[in-house]
Amino acid sequence: MVFLGITPDNEATARAFCRRHNVAWPIAWGAKKFLDEWILGGYPALFVIGRDGRICWNDGGARYHHAEGELRDRLSRQIRQAL
């Protein structure tokens, strides 16, 4: 399993955020064009991508409802299914 963060921020801002929040996974920075063109529902966004490289789940905007427990459960279930 791989986690990847993608941000429109520049490298310095992204690295500072990662240090401050103990983010240990890879971050792609400077990706504003990609995010604006491909993440149409707004970001941050969560996706689970299956072994075949296809998106098999996304959070459907649940991140905006602050239902952390529900989102955590749904994400965990989808990751298990994708493995």
Side-chain angles (χ1 to χ4, degrees), residues 66-78:
H66 304 289
E68 294 178 21
E70 178 187 343
L71 182 58
R72 181 185 54 246
D73 294 344
R74 289 171 48 204
L75 179 59
S76 296
R77 192 168 42 253
Q78 293 301 322

Side-chain angles (χ1 to χ4, degrees), residues 6-76:
I6 303 172
T7 180
D9 294 330
N10 63 36
E11 179 180 3
T13 301
R15 288 187 184 277
F17 177 89
C18 290
R19 279 192 304 275
R20 190 170 49 254
H21 297 285
N22 297 316
V23 174
W25 52 84
I27 301 292
W29 55 81
K32 181 170 180 18
K33 183 177 181 189
F34 166 78
L35 292 168
D36 288 346
E37 291 178 6
W38 291 96
I39 311 300
L40 302 176
Y43 46 86
L46 299 171
F47 296 91
V48 175
I49 300 172
R51 292 176 185 255
D52 61 0
R54 294 177 182 229
I55 296 171
C56 56
W57 179 83
N58 72 71
D59 71 342
R63 64 198 171 276
Y64 295 119
H65 303 292
H66 304 289
E68 294 178 21
E70 178 187 343
L71 182 58
R72 181 185 54 246
D73 294 344
R74 289 171 48 204
L75 179 59
S76 296

